[in-house]
Amino acid sequence: MDGTKPAMESNAEENQDEGQESKGCFECCIKCLGGVPYASLVATILCFSGVALFCGCGHVALTGTLTMLETHFSRVSSDHETLTFVIQIFQYIIYGIASFFFVYAIVLLGEGFYTTAAIKKELQSDFKTTVCGRCITAFFMCVTYLLFLCFLAIVGFTAVPVYLFFNMWSTCGAMKNPDANITNPDDICVDVRQYGFIPMNATPGKACGATLGEICNTSEFYLSYHLYIVALAGAGATVISLIHYLMILSANWAYLKSAVSTHEYQDIKTKDDQDIEAEARSKEGQNSSYS
């Protein structure tokens, strides 16, 4: 019995130590999770997803569109030479957009961590934000607003091929519809030259009847059409993420600005209290000397 008592006491101490360690780990996890800027994290995930969809699907869709034009609408290479050059430029722009937004989203996420930590330190101590920190937030806010306008234009630009492919898809669907009462399917044509992508003297430049139906059944048309839709959705998601970033940056900048005003008021109040206390002490000293 005497031998088991010290063993029980040691086990109790070990269990107590393990409980304290688990409690310390739990508090550490809660502290770490409290420093995560969840709004910036959600915006970053949405930005990564949107840019990835837009860049990846847009790149493949442009390649498929060029292949379809070369095969069915412009068999002479000189007729679509300019279009090929423009598509290559767009593909290089897509590479730049993907690289830039990958870096920029990480920078904005880091700015969110910085601002969240600064706000927590202001609430818990006498930490004061610097003018440089507020200027950085304002700078990112301006850049994000410009990027929002640019991607809003990209959304409109991406909607153009979706609209053109939809018209072509609808035309093919009308030809296959038995209720359409089409007497001569060869009279139904799609002329790509009218959109200005290829010159008016390009051969054949248009597809009619059975040829148009074959084009709609090709993998290039089907894949490019749906990839353009996904790219448009990705561009829209990127715009939403940029709006989210703007709200976050505006809120952070407003809070940091108000925190500066609060600190200035507290400093003035503290100085006034010290002056009043010093004046009261001096009066007490004078009264004691007279007495």
Side-chain angles (χ1 to χ4, degrees):
M1 295 292 292
D2 295 337
T4 58
K5 186 175 181 181
M8 293 175 62
E9 291 178 354
S10 62
N11 291 332
E13 291 177 356
E14 291 178 357
N15 293 331
Q16 186 177 2
D17 293 338
E18 291 178 356
Q20 291 178 354
E21 290 180 358
S22 61
K23 183 178 179 181
C25 293
F26 178 76
E27 292 178 353
C28 182
C29 291
I30 294 298
K31 185 177 180 181
C32 292
L33 292 175
V36 175
Y38 292 101
S40 297
L41 185 61
V42 171
T44 302
I45 294 174
L46 185 61
C47 183
F48 279 161
S49 303
V51 172
L53 288 176
F54 170 75
C55 294
C57 296
H59 186 277
V60 178
L62 287 173
T63 303
T65 302
L66 183 60
T67 302
M68 187 176 65
L69 286 173
E70 291 175 347
T71 305
H72 303 286
F73 294 98
S74 179
R75 297 189 177 95
V76 181
S77 59
S78 60
D79 293 338
H80 56 267
E81 185 177 0
T82 304
L83 180 63
T84 303
F85 178 72
V86 172
I87 288 178
Q88 290 177 351
I89 291 177
F90 283 155
Q91 289 177 336
Y92 284 121
I93 291 175
I94 285 175
Y95 297 148
I97 290 174
S99 303
F100 174 78
F101 270 90
F102 177 78
V103 176
Y104 189 69
I106 292 178
V107 171
L108 288 182
L109 182 61
E111 196 274 342
F113 274 101
Y114 162 77
T115 307
T116 303
I119 291 173
K120 289 187 67 177
K121 289 181 179 180
E122 282 187 353
L123 295 175
Q124 297 174 0
S125 63
D126 295 333
F127 177 80
K128 297 182 181 179
T129 57
T130 61
V131 177
C132 181
R134 298 193 299 274
C135 290
I136 289 175
T137 302
F139 171 75
F140 283 136
M141 190 164 53
C142 295
V143 173
T144 304
Y145 180 72
L146 294 177
L147 291 175
F148 162 74
L149 295 178
C150 293
F151 240 92
L152 201 61
I154 290 175
V155 170
F157 178 78
T158 310
V160 173
V162 174
Y163 173 74
L164 298 179
F165 272 79
F166 174 76
N167 284 341
M168 193 170 177
W169 180 275
S170 300
T171 304
C172 293
M175 292 175 56
K176 298 177 182 178
N177 189 1
D179 299 330
N181 295 325
I182 300 174
T183 57
N184 188 8
D186 293 334
D187 293 337
I188 300 178
C189 302
V190 172
D191 194 346
V192 182
R193 295 172 296 186
Q194 64 181 340
Y195 300 117
F197 297 126
I198 55 177
M200 295 300 296
N201 58 355
T203 54
K206 64 179 181 178
C208 303
T211 305
L212 179 60
E214 292 176 359
I215 294 174
C216 291
N217 291 328
T218 59
S219 60
E220 290 85 3
F221 175 82
Y222 183 83
L223 183 62
S224 297
Y225 176 45
H226 290 85
L227 285 178
Y228 276 126
I229 295 175
V230 178
L232 179 61
T238 306
V239 170
I240 294 174
S241 69
L242 291 173
I243 294 174
H244 201 169
Y245 275 130
L246 279 174
M247 292 189 295
I248 295 168
L249 293 169
S250 300
N252 290 341
W253 185 81
Y255 182 86
L256 294 175
K257 185 178 179 181
S258 64
V260 172
S261 301
T262 302
H263 278 297
E264 290 178 353
Y265 170 76
Q266 290 177 352
D267 292 340
I268 294 173
K269 184 178 179 181
T270 303
K271 186 177 180 180
D272 291 340
D273 292 340
Q274 291 175 353
D275 293 339
I276 292 172
E277 185 178 355
E279 185 177 356
R281 288 180 179 177
S282 63
K283 288 182 179 179
E284 289 179 358
Q286 292 176 358
N287 293 332
S288 63
S289 62
Y290 289 147
S291 61

